[in-house]
Amino acid sequence: MIINKQLVSSRFDKASNSYEDVASIQKESARILVSNLLQMSPKFCPSSILDLGAGTGYVSDLLLSHFSGSNYTLNDISPYMLEKAKEKFKFDRNISFHLGDLEHAEFKNHGLIVSNLALQWANNLEATLHKFYSKSNIFAFSCLIEG
């Protein structure tokens, strides 16, 4: 099945105003992802972090309390979700934003790449996993997959 990325973007755009209020599963998954990352690599301190499919930025928000000196890039396919993240982090100078499809966007190497419940939107999951694994010291993600 080929995923219609324009439809995905459009649906997340429509959900952007209420997403923070209703994304309880996504937030719990993010909390578990960050907790596991910190537990498995307690001394790791990345200079740069890429948050793929960042949405409104709740993974990066959790990471900021542990890695406040890191430079962050938040990526999302939805311009409206990214605008919500920009508003949330408007006073953080070490955060930049990148609009685009994570599967096709080009990113530089990062110490840490994280993705919470976004990789299921990749049409070629295996290639996408290889791409980001090769561009990071640690690649931590959660993903919904069939089966």
Side-chain angles (χ1 to χ4, degrees):
M1 176 176 87
I2 301 296
I3 297 167
N4 180 333
K5 302 291 182 84
Q6 285 186 314
L7 184 59
V8 171
S9 177
S10 173
R11 288 183 177 165
F12 278 106
D13 281 347
K14 288 179 185 172
S16 65
N17 285 326
S18 61
Y19 200 74
E20 282 286 329
D21 298 329
V22 298
S24 58
I25 292 171
Q26 293 86 338
K27 288 179 182 178
E28 179 63 12
S29 177
R31 189 194 62 72
I32 292 168
L33 176 62
V34 170
S35 176
N36 286 339
L37 170 68
L38 296 171
Q39 183 180 11
M40 294 175 91
S41 301
K43 297 184 190 281
F44 181 65
C45 188
S47 60
S48 63
I49 298 172
L50 171 60
D51 186 351
L52 297 168
T56 58
Y58 43 82
V59 172
S60 290
D61 202 20
L62 291 170
L63 290 172
L64 270 166
S65 62
H66 301 281
F67 308 121
S68 60
S70 300
N71 291 311
Y72 289 75
T73 301
L74 278 64
N75 156 259
D76 205 89
I77 196 169
S78 162
Y80 292 161
M81 292 293 255
L82 214 51
E83 284 302 317
K84 295 292 182 184
K86 286 178 183 178
E87 180 62 27
K88 180 187 284 185
F89 299 114
K90 65 184 171 192
F91 298 114
D92 291 290
R93 298 195 190 287
N94 59 334
I95 298 179
S96 63
F97 302 90
H98 185 278
L99 177 64
D101 178 358
L102 65 86
E103 192 169 14
H104 300 290
E106 288 301 319
F107 297 100
K108 63 179 184 156
N109 290 357
H110 289 273
L112 171 62
I113 298 178
V114 294
S115 182
N116 184 54
L117 302 180
L119 294 175
Q120 68 268 12
W121 303 115
N123 283 311
N124 188 337
L125 181 58
E126 186 175 348
T128 302
L129 291 173
H130 285 289
K131 171 183 172 178
F132 292 113
Y133 178 74
S134 71
K135 291 188 167 285
S136 63
N137 294 341
I138 293 180
F139 178 28
F141 63 92
S142 61
C143 182
L144 300 174
I145 57 173
E146 186 175 335

